[in-house]
Amino acid sequence: MSDMKIGVVGCAGRMGVALLKQISETSGCEIAGGTERPGSVALGQDIGVIAGLGNLDIKITEDAAALISSVDAILEFTAPAATVKHAALCAEHGTAHIIGTTGMEAEHQSAIDAAALLTPVVQAGNMSVGVNLLVEVTRRVAATLDADWDVEVVEMHHRHKVDAPSGTALMLGRAAADGRGINHDSVVKRGRDGITGERERGEIGYASLRGGNVVGDHTVIFAADNERIEISHKASDRALFARGAVTAALWTKDRAPGHYNMADVLGF
Ligand code: NAD
């Protein structure tokens, strides 16, 4: 059986480099190319060299259409606007799209949902096994406890992160809302500052910390009178997200078009 050809869009980014390394270490797939944004200093460089893998004789280009039309799957950890553009190209060519990009607004998400009608899309705010398990545990704990238990999600990331709360924090908050059988967006409280008034019963709150090179820490707090449950996950290397993304790409082989998440890939 021939190797799955995988392209990496945004291949010179922090996750891009981790993804290239992961593909090179995984059997059953190969690095088939990579793109970067117009103006990036990585354009024209060898993809293997930027990932510390030695010369692979594949130049980084800005031609996403050429890449997407020639591979089986692309891995994408870029920005929402770029992801939407690439989703349309994936739909056009039937290329599987593995999306780790976070910070999507509603209009980005509906464009991705539309693309998933035509090609397999795996989208997850976090691709690690541990976090996806934490999501499941959060859903179950929330389903067990009533709204006297206040739910707060606290996250910390490196100083370069541009969106807040993190995609993972939102996954956790949505899982808590799901467990309670309520609509997340109607109870969400994003950040507090100044005279906020008292906390409302049933609210799901978020707090975001930024600093250093923290890869990603998340804690879900269930706080009642006199007792508190805290469940946490700490990521110490981007390789774990890259491993999840490559596993997802391999999982899409011969898969029908659809919108999938990591729980589908991991069989939770
Ligand atoms: P980064 O800024 O280091 O990398 C993003 C890369 O995308 C950059 O190299 C940028 O030039 C490139 N890019 C932007 N627009 C492009 C375009 N149109 N075409 C090609 N390349 C383009 O950021 P990062 O830390 O690697 O994170 C990227 C995204 O992934 C963020 O949204 C982050 O929150 C998310 N992320 C998700 C997970 C997960 O498991 N789902 C894990 C880590 C990071």
Side-chain angles (χ1 to χ4, degrees), residues 103-125:
M104 304 286 180
E105 302 290 345
E107 80 260 21
H108 301 125
Q109 194 54 56
S110 45
I112 290 165
D113 293 346
L117 298 172
L118 299 169
T119 200
V121 174
V122 180
Q123 185 181 9

Side-chain angles (χ1 to χ4, degrees), residues 10 13-15 36-37 77-78 82 100 102 124-127 161 241:
R14 281 177 287 267
M15 275 305 300
E36 256 302 331
R37 65 177 162 74
F77 290 64
T78 62
T102 61
N126 193 303
M127 301 242 171
K161 185 161 178 63
F241 307 128

